[in-house]
Amino acid sequence: MLFSYSNVLVFAAVGIAFILVTLSIGALIRPYAPSLNKLSSYECGEEPVGSAWMNFNIRFYIIALIFVIFDVEVAFMFPVVRIFKEWILEGRGVVALLEILVFVLILLVGFIYVWKKGDLNWVKKI
Amino acid sequence: METFIVSVIFIVTVGSACIVAFSNNLVYSAFALIGTFLGVAGTFIYLNATFLGLVQLVVYAGGILVLIIFAVMLTSKINESSRSNPGANYKAVVPLVLLLVLLVGRILTRDVWTKDLSGMAHEPTITALGNLLLTDYLLPFELVSVVLLAAMIGAAVISRRKVKTQE
């Protein structure tokens, strides 16, 4: 069976092996001297209070949602990009361009709406 | 070689799914989800559904995961709510799991899986999909844009209302 994407796995394997080799060489060479002070956030000065956990601003969420919408849009454009060159050679490039422009423009309306309504502003007046 | 690659993909998928399910820390679960998404993308690409694999990679591993991590980060007092619910209703869970096992078993034992597809041509689906989207399925393609527009405006409106009630 044809499986030409296997070289992606080779890249992943090389990447993971690179990290593993580097870290294990470091573990072999470095001296081993554990102490409690090394585990604290600031070895000298401030004593940490509480956990490092903090709540994100809720504004992040709406921006992430809008990002996902445009992510889906980009995913839909991959097939069009793939055939665009062939369509230009066949003389249908303008048609493809117009069709994809309509697709983008419809979503642009939503983007303008969200922008004008101030949903992208960090501090919003209600 | 092929068996090895498939095994790697499946081990990554199922392994990180197990971390997602069994980790006591919700943040670890959210981050382990990336392995599951990548594994599923690999499975799609292995099955020659290139476009589905790409969507899985771009939308799920790139977008949905960020959304889930944000949702985890936004939740207050997450450390107290990190363990699975001890009061889960086993009377409801056991039949549901049994039903799921039966369903998956039924699908796995169908005879469509024994068909030999090695002689079939394996063309990337993405070219055919692009041609169809710009010709026969142009209206659904543009309608997708409208649906996305509705989703975006809806998300903005709903999150706006939430902010209002909080203050």
Side-chain angles (χ1 to χ4, degrees):
Chain A
M1 191 187 282
L2 184 88
F3 191 43
S4 52
Y5 291 92
S6 302
N7 42 9
V8 174
L9 288 177
V10 176
F11 275 101
V14 170
I16 292 167
F18 191 82
I19 297 168
L20 281 181
V21 167
T22 319
L23 283 181
S24 42
I25 287 176
L28 287 175
I29 295 176
R30 67 174 175 242
Y32 179 70
S35 93
L36 208 64
N37 273 339
K38 281 184 180 171
L39 292 176
S40 68
S41 305
Y42 311 102
E43 271 190 57
C44 57
E46 291 291 320
E47 286 285 323
V49 176
S51 75
W53 191 262
M54 55 165 280
N55 272 337
F56 273 37
N57 194 318
I58 196 142
R59 293 270 121 223
F60 275 120
Y61 199 68
I62 179 67
I63 289 171
L65 273 173
I66 293 168
F67 165 70
V68 169
I69 301 279
F70 281 102
D71 218 25
V72 176
E73 186 198 14
V74 168
F76 267 100
M77 280 164 84
F78 276 124
V80 178
V81 172
R82 173 66 186 76
I83 59 149
F84 195 51
K85 217 173 209 171
E86 291 154 31
W87 277 51
I88 290 175
L89 289 179
E90 290 168 23
R92 292 188 292 173
V94 183
V95 183
L97 186 68
L98 278 178
E99 285 169 358
I100 199 70
L101 263 182
V102 171
F103 185 73
V104 174
L105 280 177
I106 292 174
L107 265 177
L108 206 65
V109 173
F111 184 60
I112 292 168
Y113 169 83
V114 172
W115 196 341
K116 285 287 167 200
K117 283 280 183 178
D119 285 309
L120 297 177
N121 293 349
W122 196 246
V123 182
K124 212 182 108 194
K125 290 193 180 78
I126 301 165
Chain B
M1 188 62 197
E2 207 180 286
T3 327
F4 171 73
I5 291 169
V6 179
S7 330
V8 168
I9 291 174
F10 286 173
I11 286 170
V12 167
T13 315
V14 177
S16 42
C18 284
I19 298 176
V20 173
F22 296 121
S23 170
N24 278 329
N25 193 327
L26 207 57
V27 183
Y28 290 167
S29 293
F31 276 100
L33 207 57
I34 194 169
T36 317
F37 284 158
L38 288 180
V40 172
T43 313
F44 276 142
I45 289 172
Y46 175 75
L47 294 172
N48 255 297
T50 336
F51 179 68
L52 270 184
L54 232 148
V55 168
Q56 179 75 23
L57 206 65
V58 170
V59 176
Y60 279 83
I64 305 282
L65 194 79
V66 173
L67 206 65
I68 289 173
I69 289 174
F70 273 0
V72 169
M73 297 286 192
L74 279 166
T75 315
S76 53
K77 291 181 183 170
I78 197 126
N79 287 329
E80 283 119 74
S81 59
S82 57
R83 281 165 197 277
S84 32
N85 189 359
N89 195 346
Y90 284 98
K91 278 175 196 161
V93 169
V94 171
L96 273 178
V97 170
L98 271 178
L99 200 71
L100 190 72
V101 168
L102 273 177
L103 197 71
V104 172
R106 179 77 191 85
I107 293 168
L108 282 178
T109 50
R110 286 179 70 191
D111 54 353
V112 285
W113 309 114
T114 53
K115 266 185 196 160
D116 185 21
L117 297 176
S118 52
M120 286 179 69
H122 289 289
E123 277 182 39
T125 51
I126 204 158
T127 318
L129 209 69
N131 277 322
L132 282 175
L133 276 183
L134 289 191
T135 51
D136 290 359
Y137 294 94
L138 180 62
L139 186 65
F141 179 57
E142 306 292 358
L143 272 179
V144 164
S145 191
V146 178
V147 170
L148 285 175
L149 174 74
M152 179 154 64
I153 292 175
V157 169
I158 288 172
S159 75
R160 205 181 297 151
R161 211 173 287 156
K162 252 181 208 160
V163 172
K164 248 180 200 170
T165 51
Q166 266 184 358
E167 286 178 7

